[in-house]
PDB file of all heavy atoms in Angstrom:
ATOM      1  N   HIS A 160      12.726  -4.538   9.042  1.00  0.00           N
ATOM      2  CA  HIS A 160      11.349  -5.122   9.286  1.00  0.00           C
ATOM      3  C   HIS A 160      10.900  -5.874   8.013  1.00  0.00           C
ATOM      4  O   HIS A 160      10.624  -5.195   6.989  1.00  0.00           O
ATOM      5  CB  HIS A 160      10.376  -4.069   9.630  1.00  0.00           C
ATOM      6  CG  HIS A 160       9.027  -4.544   9.979  1.00  0.00           C
ATOM      7  ND1 HIS A 160       8.605  -5.065  11.192  1.00  0.00           N
ATOM      8  CD2 HIS A 160       7.881  -4.723   9.148  1.00  0.00           C
ATOM      9  CE1 HIS A 160       7.330  -5.395  11.113  1.00  0.00           C
ATOM     10  NE2 HIS A 160       6.920  -5.236   9.940  1.00  0.00           N
ATOM     11  N   ALA A 161      10.806  -7.164   8.066  1.00  0.00           N
ATOM     12  CA  ALA A 161      10.361  -7.965   6.986  1.00  0.00           C
ATOM     13  C   ALA A 161       8.931  -7.826   6.589  1.00  0.00           C
ATOM     14  O   ALA A 161       8.534  -7.795   5.414  1.00  0.00           O
ATOM     15  CB  ALA A 161      10.878  -9.385   7.092  1.00  0.00           C
ATOM     16  N   GLY A 162       8.036  -7.912   7.646  1.00  0.00           N
ATOM     17  CA  GLY A 162       6.595  -7.814   7.400  1.00  0.00           C
ATOM     18  C   GLY A 162       6.061  -9.236   7.183  1.00  0.00           C
ATOM     19  O   GLY A 162       6.815 -10.222   6.968  1.00  0.00           O
ATOM     20  N   CYS A 163       4.743  -9.428   7.257  1.00  0.00           N
ATOM     21  CA  CYS A 163       4.126 -10.760   7.217  1.00  0.00           C
ATOM     22  C   CYS A 163       4.432 -11.474   5.885  1.00  0.00           C
ATOM     23  O   CYS A 163       4.670 -12.666   5.858  1.00  0.00           O
ATOM     24  CB  CYS A 163       2.617 -10.587   7.395  1.00  0.00           C
ATOM     25  SG  CYS A 163       2.103 -10.043   9.050  1.00  0.00           S
ATOM     26  N   ARG A 164       4.119 -10.803   4.810  1.00  0.00           N
ATOM     27  CA  ARG A 164       4.226 -11.448   3.428  1.00  0.00           C
ATOM     28  C   ARG A 164       5.616 -11.997   3.239  1.00  0.00           C
ATOM     29  O   ARG A 164       5.806 -13.150   2.838  1.00  0.00           O
ATOM     30  CB  ARG A 164       3.783 -10.464   2.397  1.00  0.00           C
ATOM     31  CG  ARG A 164       3.914 -10.961   0.924  1.00  0.00           C
ATOM     32  CD  ARG A 164       3.080 -12.179   0.563  1.00  0.00           C
ATOM     33  NE  ARG A 164       1.621 -11.930   0.491  1.00  0.00           N
ATOM     34  CZ  ARG A 164       0.773 -12.933   0.388  1.00  0.00           C
ATOM     35  NH1 ARG A 164       1.144 -14.133   0.195  1.00  0.00           N
ATOM     36  NH2 ARG A 164      -0.474 -12.617   0.169  1.00  0.00           N
ATOM     37  N   TYR A 165       6.630 -11.083   3.448  1.00  0.00           N
ATOM     38  CA  TYR A 165       7.972 -11.673   3.141  1.00  0.00           C
ATOM     39  C   TYR A 165       8.382 -12.749   4.151  1.00  0.00           C
ATOM     40  O   TYR A 165       9.253 -13.589   3.867  1.00  0.00           O
ATOM     41  CB  TYR A 165       8.983 -10.546   3.193  1.00  0.00           C
ATOM     42  CG  TYR A 165       9.118  -9.751   1.922  1.00  0.00           C
ATOM     43  CD1 TYR A 165       9.089  -8.439   1.949  1.00  0.00           C
ATOM     44  CD2 TYR A 165       9.261 -10.391   0.707  1.00  0.00           C
ATOM     45  CE1 TYR A 165       9.267  -7.598   0.695  1.00  0.00           C
ATOM     46  CE2 TYR A 165       9.289  -9.733  -0.409  1.00  0.00           C
ATOM     47  CZ  TYR A 165       9.330  -8.355  -0.532  1.00  0.00           C
ATOM     48  OH  TYR A 165       9.460  -7.678  -1.724  1.00  0.00           O
ATOM     49  N   SER A 166       7.865 -12.686   5.432  1.00  0.00           N
ATOM     50  CA  SER A 166       8.290 -13.689   6.401  1.00  0.00           C
ATOM     51  C   SER A 166       7.675 -15.074   6.126  1.00  0.00           C
ATOM     52  O   SER A 166       8.345 -16.044   6.506  1.00  0.00           O
ATOM     53  CB  SER A 166       7.754 -13.261   7.724  1.00  0.00           C
ATOM     54  OG  SER A 166       8.490 -11.981   8.194  1.00  0.00           O
ATOM     55  N   TYR A 167       6.499 -15.109   5.513  1.00  0.00           N
ATOM     56  CA  TYR A 167       5.853 -16.496   5.440  1.00  0.00           C
ATOM     57  C   TYR A 167       5.638 -16.906   3.990  1.00  0.00           C
ATOM     58  O   TYR A 167       5.177 -18.040   3.764  1.00  0.00           O
ATOM     59  CB  TYR A 167       4.528 -16.456   6.233  1.00  0.00           C
ATOM     60  CG  TYR A 167       4.695 -16.223   7.600  1.00  0.00           C
ATOM     61  CD1 TYR A 167       4.443 -15.133   8.348  1.00  0.00           C
ATOM     62  CD2 TYR A 167       5.146 -17.397   8.369  1.00  0.00           C
ATOM     63  CE1 TYR A 167       4.645 -15.010   9.649  1.00  0.00           C
ATOM     64  CE2 TYR A 167       5.317 -17.361   9.760  1.00  0.00           C
ATOM     65  CZ  TYR A 167       5.080 -16.199  10.441  1.00  0.00           C
ATOM     66  OH  TYR A 167       5.257 -15.972  11.706  1.00  0.00           O
ATOM     67  N   ASP A 168       5.757 -16.026   2.943  1.00  0.00           N
ATOM     68  CA  ASP A 168       5.562 -16.442   1.540  1.00  0.00           C
ATOM     69  C   ASP A 168       6.839 -17.012   1.059  1.00  0.00           C
ATOM     70  O   ASP A 168       7.847 -16.237   0.789  1.00  0.00           O
ATOM     71  CB  ASP A 168       5.112 -15.212   0.738  1.00  0.00           C
ATOM     72  CG  ASP A 168       4.649 -15.534  -0.660  1.00  0.00           C
ATOM     73  OD1 ASP A 168       5.269 -16.555  -1.297  1.00  0.00           O
ATOM     74  OD2 ASP A 168       3.717 -14.979  -1.175  1.00  0.00           O
TER      75      ASP A 168
END
Side-chain angles (χ1 to χ4, degrees):
H160 179 88
C163 296
R164 175 61 74 184
Y165 276 137
S166 294
Y167 292 106
D168 188 326

